[in-house]
Amino acid sequence: MLSTRHFSLPFSKLCKSSLYLSVLSALGSGYAYAEQEALNAINKKEMEVIEVRGIRSSMAENLDVKRMSGSVVDAITAEDIGKFPDKNVADSLQRVPGVVIERDGGEGASVSIRGLSSELTFTQLNGNFIASSPGEPSRSFDYTLLPSSMIESVEVFKSPEARLDEGGVGGTVLMHSRKPLSMEANSGVFNVESTYADVTKEYEPQFTGLYSWKNDDENFGILVGYTYQERTNRTISGGTDANVWRYTGDGQPTDVTGNSVDNNNGWDTINDSNGNSYDGVWFPQVVRGSVLNEKREREGVRFSTQWRPTNRLELGFNYFGFTLGQDRTESVIDIPEWSLNPDFLTAVNLDETGTIATGMQYDAMASGIESDMQFPWMRGSYVREESTSDTFDFNLTYEGDNFKARFVIGNTQSEGGPEESWEAAYKSSNAGENAATIQNAAQMAGWSLEQDNVSLNIDPNTLVNLQNGIGGGRDAGSSNSSFVRSELEENYYQADVDFYIDWGFLKTIRTGAKYRHATLHRETGNTFFLDPNFDIAAGEASEQGITRFDSYQWNGGMPLAQNVFTSENNIAGGFDINQMPSIDWNKYRDMVTANYVPYTRIEDNFVYDIEEKISAFYIQGDFEFSEVRGNLGVRVVQTKTFTSSTDLYTYQLDHTNDETGEPVTGDARFVEDYQLVTQQNKDTQILPSFNIAWDATDDLVVRGAIAKVMSRPDYSDLGAQQRITFVSDEWADDRAAFNELPGFSGSGGNKNLKPFESVQSDLSIEYYYSEGSAAGLALFYKKVDNFVVPLVIDAQQSFAGKTNIVDSGTITIAPYSTVGNGTDAVSKGAEVFIQHAFDNDFGFYANYTYNKTNKADVSINGEAFGQSPLIGSAKYQYNTSVYYEADYFNVRASYNKRGETVLGLNSGLNVYQDPYEQLDVNASVNLYDGLSLTAAVINLTKSESVTRLGNDTDARLLNTSYSGRRYYAGFNYSF
């Protein structure tokens, strides 16, 4: 099962060993001068070699990479061909000091380093970016896309070097794939597993195969890999809408320090049916429970070839192709804003301070007669989508007598988005069904927010009533089939030359240039389901074209609740509910498609495009004298950004006809207007870096580093369309019973965002006291400018207006969700690690990171809007793993905990994620040579993620989320 590693003895002379050479060569670090010195030493003296393999070998190799690097680097290497320490590369990275991962459906999806958001971690495969576009594009790499079986090793650079691509204010993750000429001929791995989760109760397969071949002359090789995975993820979440925690009354709330909170989203006093009034109270506008079911089918293909026609020349080609298909349904139970009505509200529970609502109870008979309660609001969505990612590169390396040149030409592109997208909503009452009398499927409902839990209760007869045709009013206005698709492509061209010199302490001069041209297109589309007799040609030729009001839901085609409602069961965490009616999407889709014809249109007026042209040049010198080594360099980067978006203005004019009470349709109901906005920006960054390492003794290494780094804003933050909604007095009057507010609200990106900039320094000491064992302490400091913070604010905007709809002039838009730049943020802290291998087959490794951030000013276009810590920053985190490895059996238990994490700024307060901890266990049994039985349990502790508004109280609960405990079992055969 385990690959052989060779260690030279004694350990104190490791820097002149074959392991040092192989590690540097495998990771492509380019320390050619040191490699040559190591070869000379090997030629002069035959060294004693022993075999060490498996977990211990991998851990020792990780330490060797860290020790020999001239920069601040941590590493993870595969324990065997196709066998990484965890089920996912991201899961393995969380063992690295200072690294926190974010999960998607319980699987590691993105990585953040030293308290900065995952968007500031720059991830590359073999030195280049991989595009991934699951509908909404992101600069952050999606680790669920790439199977770990294709990766040999990973380096985490916490201090930059000029030769590395810019983009990682948090850090840079370099993943290295296997190469055929570095593997044995006819070697590879086959892995077959089944997985099971407590939230899905399904067994699902996954397969990985990797095969490598090379000729007898070992100058030509081919490597192929294939992976297939079926996975059902289920995320159960309860909480409140994060953007609509309100405050009653005209006064400003205060935070725990007594400072006034800038929150103008207050409502009038809440009154219940008993005549009680609640003023000066925080309350959630919406309380909900949701269940997200996601079936994934992932395929990955890898093909690589190497050819060395001469000893000096090497040619290579790499291709990686991934396809991710997803069928996703979501069931939601909402108790929304229109519940805050004395005709329904019977009781309000407050926290011990009397200023935060922690529970509410409602009854359709609260006013003495049965009122049109309309809630719980029962919503759902169904999405079928596919995303693809294709990356290829051609590379050429030439070794001269005193130099090495490398040229790379590559392309990475991805596209993704729904093939089908449905949304539908129903109300508890029979509102809108032309019934003579009011009927409510639910006579009562309520919610409560406990310290770590959301509880919902509804009338236990709700589902039966819906299925019997009682209540279940169809909400056409909240039912649609819109979707988002995106295409991301980048071409890159790179040339690097290393000159091996002997100018005193200067040993290598590295220089190079890289050009990247990236284009992003994001679009919105709609699928309207039309009557078979609808004249499509005439509709397209009309002035307004085909609109949503021609679709099925506005023309009596939306299925009745009694025909499509079922129950969502197995609520294993996330929230509590006594019953959860939900839409059966198979029935819903079958009924609509049997009677209506789909008509899909890409909306030309609702897109955004981003084009980036990035030019970079660097020069770096690697030095070595006595027991000191390191590098000094500078990288100059120019980024030209072209951004355009079509902003949407929606005017909600009249909800219902006053005479008939029926919904108004067409332009009399609402009007949409679009405006194309374009912008060009140019930014030039000069990024110096300096790294130094001193071998103070044979066992002690002292390091220092200082550098300036930058990261570009995320695509969606930079390019997202502005969406402004105007609610007229007439519309608000129609919905006065449900506290509909007139005026403007909106959201949008910020085309004026500046790139993140950080000046950072590191100081560390590492003690390598035994083979495979070490301990160390690191101090770090980052001063970050232009970090991006999500905001919910009151925005002043010069508004051209629309004749006879709204007056032109400066308009207050409240609330307005956007992003802004923060300045003068400081992140500083310390990392401690220890790794020890005992002689009795046991071992452990542990690390602890403490991170302290200040509250920095946040502004939009130069106007201050508040203060916020660095988004994604956590006060502390620690990881520990204990393992046992014998000839026929090994087991490892890994525990990690992350402290309170800052997520954004909302309603004048920061959003915080509670401390999170998780325990994972991996084990394998060697059946015979090369074949092993493997098993794992992920999230043994059944941990849940919890977020809150502000950290002055536990009462303002935003969200709880549970993705389950997952089990794996399978066979691994390496040959």
Side-chain angles (χ1 to χ4, degrees):
M1 180 191 77
L2 301 172
S3 60
T4 302
R5 317 290 190 197
H6 296 281
F7 288 73
S8 299
L9 297 178
F11 183 77
S12 63
K13 303 299 182 184
L14 186 59
C15 61
K16 297 288 181 71
S17 72
S18 60
L19 176 61
Y20 177 33
L21 174 61
S22 64
V23 168
L24 294 178
S25 176
L27 297 178
S29 300
Y31 293 93
Y33 180 82
E35 291 177 25
Q36 187 62 47
E37 288 297 299
L39 278 174
N40 293 338
I42 293 170
N43 291 332
K44 290 178 180 178
K45 179 180 180 180
E46 183 178 352
M47 295 186 177
E48 180 185 359
V49 175
I50 63 171
E51 286 189 0
V52 185
R53 54 188 188 175
I55 297 176
R56 297 164 66 89
S57 170
S58 176
M59 289 179 57
E61 202 167 318
N62 298 343
L63 277 185
D64 295 334
V65 175
K66 182 181 184 71
R67 178 176 185 175
M68 298 306 172
S69 173
S71 307
V72 182
V73 177
D74 286 281
I76 303 172
T77 54
E79 295 166 7
D80 195 4
I81 301 173
K83 184 183 178 185
F84 235 65
D86 295 275
K87 295 300 177 183
N88 179 288
V89 173
D91 292 334
S92 295
L93 284 171
Q94 73 180 328
R95 316 289 178 229
V96 172
V99 171
V100 173
I101 70 169
E102 298 171 15
R103 292 176 170 84
D104 179 9
E107 187 175 5
S110 60
V111 171
S112 62
I113 301 174
R114 286 181 168 173
L116 299 182
S117 70
S118 59
E119 282 76 15
L120 300 182
T121 299
F122 190 45
T123 301
Q124 292 184 308
L125 177 62
N126 296 330
N128 291 292
F129 171 69
I130 295 183
S132 57
S133 297
E136 291 287 0
S138 173
R139 295 188 194 273
S140 180
F141 179 73
D142 184 1
Y143 283 83
T144 64
L145 194 64
L146 180 66
S148 60
S149 60
M150 297 184 181
I151 302 301
E152 180 181 32
S153 61
V154 183
E155 294 171 288
V156 179
F157 279 80
K158 298 175 182 177
S159 69
E161 297 183 21
R163 66 184 176 88
L164 301 177
D165 283 359
E166 75 290 340
V169 165
T172 299
V173 177
L174 298 184
M175 297 185 294
H176 302 279
S177 62
R178 292 187 177 274
K179 296 180 179 181
L181 294 186
S182 62
M183 296 179 63
E184 295 294 329
N186 300 310
S187 62
V189 64
F190 291 102
N191 179 274
V192 179
E193 281 189 318
S194 179
T195 180
Y196 171 87
D198 61 344
V199 290
T200 64
K201 298 189 180 300
E202 294 186 26
Y203 295 90
E204 294 167 307
Q206 57 187 55
F207 167 80
T208 295
L210 189 73
Y211 173 75
S212 182
W213 171 89
K214 60 184 176 183
N215 61 4
D216 292 338
D217 293 333
E218 297 190 354
N219 61 5
F220 180 75
I222 295 174
L223 184 149
V224 294
Y226 174 77
T227 184
Y228 176 82
Q229 179 194 83
E230 291 181 14
R231 172 72 61 82
T232 300
N233 292 326
R234 195 163 182 260
T235 302
I236 306 171
S237 302
T240 62
D241 190 318
N243 290 331
V244 288
W245 265 83
R246 304 285 191 176
Y247 185 77
T248 60
D250 297 328
Q252 291 291 337
T254 58
D255 62 19
V256 67
T257 64
N259 295 321
S260 178
V261 173
D262 184 14
N263 176 3
N264 295 321
N265 298 331
W267 273 23
D268 293 335
T269 300
I270 295 176
N271 299 300
D272 65 22
S273 60
N274 298 315
N276 299 314
S277 296
Y278 301 90
D279 192 9
V281 172
W282 285 97
F283 68 96
Q285 187 177 340
V286 179
V287 179
R288 67 171 49 123
S290 70
V291 178
L292 180 66
N293 297 288
E294 180 184 54
K295 284 189 173 294
R296 292 182 176 181
E297 185 175 310
R298 181 177 68 187
E299 283 189 284
V301 177
R302 188 265 172 101
F303 174 82
S304 292
T305 182
Q306 281 180 285
W307 179 37
R308 291 177 183 156
T310 71
N311 290 332
R312 294 181 179 271
L313 180 65
E314 179 181 307
L315 302 173
F317 172 77
N318 294 294
Y319 170 76
F320 295 86
F322 308 106
T323 301
L324 180 63
Q326 301 179 78
D327 282 7
R328 185 170 59 250
T329 65
E330 185 174 22
S331 300
V332 182
I333 294 291
D334 272 346
I335 299 181
E337 69 270 17
W338 61 74
S339 62
L340 300 173
N341 188 307
D343 288 342
F344 318 129
L345 184 60
T346 60
V348 177
N349 296 327
L350 301 176
D351 74 331
E352 58 185 12
T353 69
T355 61
I356 301 173
T358 59
M360 293 186 181
Q361 196 66 33
Y362 314 91
D363 195 301
M365 297 290 294
S367 64
I369 59 173
E370 186 172 3
S371 300
D372 186 12
M373 195 163 75
Q374 297 194 20
F375 61 88
W377 195 31
M378 296 158 288
R379 302 186 291 116
S381 64
Y382 170 79
V383 175
R384 174 182 294 169
E385 71 175 46
E386 181 177 273
S387 59
T388 61
S389 176
D390 294 278
T391 301
F392 69 86
D393 72 75
F394 296 92
N395 57 80
L396 180 153
T397 302
Y398 182 80
E399 291 268 7
D401 291 335
N402 297 301
F403 72 92
K404 180 170 72 173
R406 178 175 170 83
F407 305 92
V408 180
I409 298 175
N411 172 275
T412 181
Q413 57 183 305
S414 64
E415 59 181 348
E419 300 171 354
E420 285 188 50
S421 179
W422 301 75
E423 290 185 21
Y426 292 81
K427 298 176 180 177
S428 173
S429 77
N430 55 356
E433 298 299 320
N434 298 315
T437 59
I438 294 173
Q439 291 182 320
N440 289 290
Q443 291 292 318
M444 52 77 63
W447 59 265
S448 67
L449 303 180
E450 301 173 9
Q451 181 175 352
D452 298 321
N453 190 56
V454 177
S455 293
L456 298 171
N457 64 87
I458 64 175
D459 189 327
N461 297 313
T462 302
L463 180 59
V464 172
N465 287 336
L466 290 171
Q467 292 173 338
N468 288 332
I470 300 173
R474 295 170 288 186
D475 189 349
S478 300
S479 304
N480 61 75
S481 293
S482 63
F483 53 86
V484 172
R485 294 174 182 164
S486 67
E487 299 176 2
L488 177 62
E489 181 174 7
E490 179 178 292
N491 295 306
Y492 49 90
Y493 312 88
Q494 183 169 352
D496 303 274
V497 182
D498 295 346
F499 298 96
Y500 309 135
I501 58 177
D502 192 7
W503 298 350
F505 67 90
L506 192 60
K507 304 302 181 183
T508 306
I509 293 180
R510 307 173 188 276
T511 186
K514 188 169 189 175
Y515 177 75
R516 301 162 58 191
H517 183 197
T519 56
L520 167 67
H521 174 74
R522 179 195 180 274
E523 62 189 18
T524 300
N526 281 288
T527 299
F528 305 126
F529 289 85
L530 308 175
D531 188 284
N533 299 318
F534 186 90
D535 190 334
I536 293 178
E540 291 177 329
S542 65
E543 181 178 354
Q544 71 273 16
I546 297 175
T547 72
R548 62 185 299 190
F549 296 111
D550 297 314
S551 192
Y552 75 101
Q553 65 267 40
W554 291 100
N555 296 282
M558 191 171 174
L560 295 172
Q562 66 190 88
N563 295 326
V564 294
F565 263 88
T566 182
S567 179
E568 189 79 58
N569 298 313
N570 187 26
I571 311 298
F575 69 99
D576 295 325
I577 192 169
N578 62 320
Q579 183 183 86
M580 190 169 183
S582 61
I583 298 170
D584 184 326
W585 279 106
N586 289 326
K587 291 182 179 179
Y588 189 100
R589 292 167 58 239
D590 288 346
M591 295 181 69
V592 174
T593 55
N595 296 286
Y596 292 85
V597 178
Y599 173 84
T600 299
R601 181 180 68 204
I602 303 301
E603 305 295 350
D604 294 334
N605 290 328
F606 201 30
V607 300
Y608 73 76
D609 292 273
I610 297 177
E611 181 181 10
E612 287 182 337
K613 297 180 179 180
I614 303 170
S615 303
F617 168 81
Y618 75 88
I619 184 168
Q620 175 178 314
D622 292 359
F623 58 83
E624 181 180 347
F625 59 91
S626 185
E627 304 299 331
V628 177
R629 64 186 185 277
N631 54 76
L632 173 67
V634 64
R635 189 176 188 90
V636 181
V637 185
Q638 183 181 87
T639 305
K640 296 179 180 179
T641 306
F642 306 86
T643 308
S644 66
S645 66
T646 305
D647 294 348
L648 171 64
Y649 297 83
T650 301
Y651 305 88
Q652 296 182 339
L653 304 177
D654 204 351
H655 186 264
T656 59
N657 186 300
D658 291 338
E659 296 180 359
T660 66
E662 291 299 305
V664 176
T665 62
D667 287 350
R669 180 181 177 91
F670 66 80
V671 175
E672 291 183 342
D673 187 29
Y674 300 89
Q675 180 180 356
L676 179 65
V677 179
T678 62
Q679 188 161 320
Q680 298 184 19
N681 294 314
K682 180 179 177 180
D683 178 74
T684 301
Q685 299 280 338
I686 300 176
L687 308 173
S689 61
F690 173 66
N691 294 276
I692 188 168
W694 172 39
D695 293 322
T697 70
D698 286 345
D699 302 323
L700 192 67
V701 180
V702 180
R703 298 183 190 277
I706 186 169
K708 181 181 179 182
V709 292
M710 60 90 69
S711 290
R712 298 173 181 88
D714 201 39
Y715 293 123
S716 59
D717 292 338
L718 193 64
Q721 302 100 326
Q722 180 171 252
R723 306 182 187 189
I724 303 296
T725 300
F726 169 73
V727 176
S728 69
D729 291 336
E730 291 80 8
W731 183 288
D733 288 342
D734 291 338
R735 296 178 58 80
F738 308 117
N739 292 306
E740 186 81 40
L741 297 177
F744 283 85
S745 62
S747 64
N750 185 348
K751 294 179 177 60
N752 293 308
L753 285 176
K754 299 176 182 179
F756 297 74
E757 298 178 15
S758 174
V759 176
Q760 59 188 46
S761 57
D762 288 81
L763 180 64
S764 63
I765 184 170
E766 301 154 10
Y767 178 49
Y768 299 87
Y769 58 88
S770 178
E771 183 178 314
S773 301
L777 168 67
L779 305 177
F780 61 88
Y781 179 93
K782 294 177 184 281
K783 181 181 179 296
V784 185
D785 284 327
N786 305 329
F787 66 94
V788 176
V789 180
L791 300 171
V792 181
I793 63 174
D794 292 353
Q796 302 293 318
Q797 180 171 322
S798 178
F799 194 83
K802 198 169 182 69
T803 305
N804 300 324
I805 296 180
V806 298
D807 295 330
S808 59
T810 301
I811 301 295
T812 298
I813 304 172
Y816 185 78
S817 300
T818 186
V819 288
N821 281 127
T823 59
D824 296 327
V826 173
S827 173
K828 56 186 178 182
E831 295 174 350
V832 181
F833 83 91
I834 184 170
Q835 176 174 315
H836 187 80
F838 295 97
D839 294 333
N840 59 357
D841 298 327
F842 284 93
F844 75 93
Y845 48 103
N847 60 74
Y848 176 87
T849 302
Y850 173 78
N851 180 35
K852 182 179 181 180
T853 63
N854 68 329
K855 284 195 173 184
D857 294 330
V858 179
S859 63
I860 297 179
N861 300 329
E863 182 180 352
F865 279 93
Q867 291 186 325
S868 174
L870 284 167
I871 301 305
S873 61
K875 289 184 178 180
Y876 67 88
Q877 64 187 78
Y878 60 88
N879 309 292
T880 184
S881 291
V882 179
Y883 69 88
Y884 172 79
E885 182 178 39
D887 290 339
Y888 300 101
F889 173 74
N890 69 70
V891 62
R892 171 176 40 218
S894 301
Y895 172 80
N896 66 85
K897 183 173 182 178
R898 182 205 58 233
E900 185 179 79
T901 306
V902 184
L903 300 183
L905 191 65
N906 175 8
S907 304
L909 295 174
N910 283 114
V911 176
Y912 292 90
Q913 187 172 32
D914 279 5
Y916 180 88
E917 57 186 348
Q918 181 169 310
L919 177 63
D920 304 330
V921 178
N922 296 268
S924 66
V925 178
N926 303 332
L927 302 179
Y928 60 86
D929 189 26
L931 180 64
S932 61
L933 172 66
T934 63
V937 182
I938 307 301
N939 195 13
L940 182 64
T941 48
K942 302 180 70 172
S943 301
E944 299 188 17
S945 173
V946 180
T947 59
R948 306 181 196 276
L949 182 62
N951 62 353
D952 56 313
T953 176
D954 290 338
R956 282 190 295 266
L957 185 66
L958 285 182
N959 184 266
T960 62
S961 179
Y962 179 62
S963 297
R965 176 193 289 170
R966 186 169 289 275
Y967 304 85
Y968 294 85
F971 293 92
N972 190 83
Y973 178 60
S974 59
F975 55 93

